[in-house]
């Protein structure tokens, strides 16, 4: 159950970036930033260090969170 909850918490970060991605698409014509850094420092001590504005960081967050949710459901149901 803990992995399921952690997956849900981690899924919040990519889902929260979707409105910003739509605004970025309207202003620059691209969904993702041209910043190539996958890891960025967080100064508010909130969230993980993956750059959600980067295509790789966004999908790493998404894949890991979906894996944790799936694995948490598997452990809960078996």
């Amino acid at each position: 159950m803990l992995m399921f909850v952690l997956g849900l918490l981690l899924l919040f970060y990519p889902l929260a970036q979707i409105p910003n991605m739509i605004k970025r698409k309207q202003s620059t014509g691209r969904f993702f930033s041209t910043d190539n850094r996958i890891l960025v420092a967080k100064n508010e001590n909130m969230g993980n260090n993956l750059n959600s504005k980067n295509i790789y960081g966004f999908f790493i967050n998404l894949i890991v969170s979906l894996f944790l949710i799936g694995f948490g459901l598997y452990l809960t149901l078996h």
Side-chain angles (χ1 to χ4, degrees), residues 9 12-13 15 26 28 32-33 48 50 53 60 64 67:
L9 289 174
F12 173 74
Y13 294 109
L15 292 181
Q26 292 171 348
T28 63
F32 296 102
S33 173
N48 56 14
L50 287 173
K53 296 178 182 176
I60 288 172
V64 168
F67 172 76

Side-chain angles (χ1 to χ4, degrees), residues 3-4 6-12 14 60-70:
M3 290 201 188
F4 178 73
L6 288 176
L8 286 177
L9 289 174
L10 188 61
L11 186 62
F12 173 74
I60 288 172
N61 267 334
L62 191 65
I63 290 170
V64 168
S65 63
L66 291 177
F67 172 76
L68 286 173
I69 290 171

Side-chain angles (χ1 to χ4, degrees), residues 32-43 48-61:
F32 296 102
S33 173
T34 57
D35 186 11
N36 291 332
R37 298 178 300 164
I38 293 177
L39 295 175
V40 292
K42 299 286 183 182
N43 32 353
N48 56 14
N49 287 339
L50 287 173
N51 185 7
S52 293
K53 296 178 182 176
N54 185 333
I55 190 168
Y56 301 116
F58 178 81
F59 283 112
I60 288 172
N61 267 334

